[in-house]
Amino acid sequence: MTTLDIITIVLFSLGVVLVGLAFSRKGKSMQSFFAANGTMPWYMSGLSLFMGFFSAGTFVVWGSIAYSMGWVSITIQWTMAVAGFIVGVLIAPKWHKTGALTAAEYIHKRLGKSTQKIYTYLFLSISVFLTASFLYPVAKILEVSTGLPLNTCILLLGGLCILYVSAGGLWAVISTDVLQFVILTAAVIIVVPLSFDKINGVTALIEQVPDTFYNLLNDEYTFGFLIAFGIYNTIFLGGNWAYVQRYTCVKTQNDSRKVGYLFGALYIISPVLWMLPPMVYRVYDPSLSLLDAEGAYLMMCKEVLPNGLLGLMIGGMIFATTSALNSKLNIASGVITNDIFKNLRPKSSDRTLMYVARISTILFGVLSILIAMLIPKMGGVVNVVISLAALTGVPLYLPIIWTLFSKRQTSTSNITTTLLSLAVNGLFKFITPLMGFSLNRAEEMILGVTFPILCLAIFEIYYKAKNKESEKYQSYLVWNKENNARKLKEIEENESSEKAGNNFSKRVIGYGIFASGAGIAILGGMADNGQKLIITTGVVFALLGLLMTRNPKIIHKKGNS
């Protein structure tokens, strides 16, 4: 990397932090800090959901598969598009209908306080390691790119995220997500055509690859794996507590559906754009080993991007990945404040709760930083933690999703399913391989998805035969009706101020996009290749940002004059 690339990363980082800090005055209440007062525009929430699901692993893991196996990497990611549409149709509106501030609050009202405690402590315990596992690889990219010590990179990235998440809450998280999406999209749009230029056009990608390169499936990633992986993604996307925020922070159930639909639409298009560069690199240099193939995407970027633009791409990858980290910081703080502290001190003022929210964000972030710094000494823990995420996703989230559709599921059925599924998954992942018996990737995925479904189905059939309804269900319905009426009243009372707040957020994001577009255009003018493409991309995004900064009232008046 050149000095210009490093300067670009620094300026990009400062820009993201400034956008996040611009919302420090908006997080004045619990509803605002953790749910944006229920008036977040659906397209912003959808883009944030998309970015929260994204990580640098998208380019590393799937990029490696794209280089080695070809189109199957895109097929796998299309299951996420299907998951988004299913969540939009079925799950997102159900979450919005609950009226809960967090998933933990819903569990408390639907299944009881003791059940909420179990799930809360499970979620927080897993989340702190997952947050560290997101922070570590991103810091590793920064270390390799800049030469800074790894711990310094962890402290810098972790500190920046804590700074603006603790200041601006969900508004800061979602607004910076939108900005990062635009910048990453601009960078990818530049990389793809320049990659094709490097191999003299699209024809080479068709003719100079193995015969199986465009197969939708292969022996390792079978149709059974895709079905199981699609179900897993649906459950993870529909039940992860951080993602639930994206469905509940919008104004209406119809808006919550649109959040899922936008996610699905983006995951139809994006995998194709993301995977083309490593697929092209297979033609440019077919000699990479399986391990080296993990760097195929960045290698292609280094070959084609001029000085400064590589820094923009790496900066985009880094901060796009920290989106997931930011979401986890915000929801963990929400659970600690709303579902632990508030239950202990129910008469606490909004001021006290906001103080606790910010302090808990900082403390959870610091703990995640410390764990991330210890990862090199733990040896292979990142793979273990990622496996832990895959093993715990369905057992932790599916039982709660099931209660959104069933009045029969109880605390007993949920906890039994979760703990039993975790035990079975752990047994086949860590114990049976020591005895000489292990599952392949498809079998592991199918087991992890089907076992919890089977457990819950058995409970559902049993309760239906007994004509039994959850003892908490009727009291939940009463709370749900009262809570939704209160939320609707608050939204109506604050409608004018929230419209002004939404316009403010659009202008802040617009200024960020304008500055980024202008920067890309300037870097394009300094480039020694692809000048027209880079400058045009920069100008288009700068104009888009400028349009977003315009006051809607002024535009409306001009249209009527």
Side-chain angles (χ1 to χ4, degrees), residues 252-381:
T252 66
Q253 287 185 45
N254 194 42
D255 284 346
S256 70
R257 289 187 181 95
K258 291 177 183 176
V259 171
Y261 298 157
L262 178 57
F263 177 94
L266 289 171
Y267 253 106
I268 291 174
I269 302 166
S270 296
V272 179
L273 294 175
W274 290 339
M275 296 301 102
L276 279 174
M279 289 170 70
V280 170
Y281 199 76
R282 174 64 180 265
V283 176
Y284 183 76
D285 180 5
S287 65
L288 296 184
S289 66
L290 285 175
L291 184 62
D292 291 337
E294 293 181 353
Y297 191 95
L298 275 177
M299 290 177 191
M300 192 75 255
C301 291
K302 288 179 179 179
E303 287 292 334
V304 302
L305 289 176
N307 292 344
L309 266 299
L310 179 60
L312 182 73
M313 171 59 79
I314 291 173
M317 288 173 62
I318 289 170
F319 275 91
T321 304
T322 58
S323 171
L325 188 154
N326 297 337
S327 296
K328 282 183 168 44
L329 283 178
N330 186 252
I331 190 59
S333 171
V335 169
I336 292 168
T337 307
N338 188 66
D339 305 302
I340 297 179
F341 182 83
K342 194 177 177 182
N343 282 332
L344 296 173
R345 300 283 183 88
K347 295 183 179 180
S348 298
S349 65
D350 267 349
R351 185 176 180 179
T352 300
L353 291 173
M354 288 309 304
Y355 178 77
V356 173
R358 290 191 164 97
I359 292 298
S360 60
T361 301
I362 294 169
L363 292 178
F364 192 85
V366 168
L367 182 58
S368 299
I369 288 172
L370 292 175
I371 293 174
M373 293 173 73
L374 291 172
I375 281 176
K377 297 181 181 178
M378 295 179 185
V381 75

Side-chain angles (χ1 to χ4, degrees), residues 117 145 172 285 449:
K117 284 183 178 179
S145 303
D285 180 5
V449 168

Side-chain angles (χ1 to χ4, degrees), residues 25 42 74 85 137 204 225 248 257 260 270 295 312 356 371 419 437 463 480 502 514 523 527 538 553 555:
R25 293 184 180 181
W42 65 267
I74 296 171
F85 290 120
F225 171 84
T248 59
R257 289 187 181 95
S270 296
L312 182 73
V356 173
I371 293 174
L419 296 181
F437 176 76
Y463 288 146
N480 178 253
N502 287 345
F514 171 77
L523 290 172
K553 291 183 178 179
I555 296 172

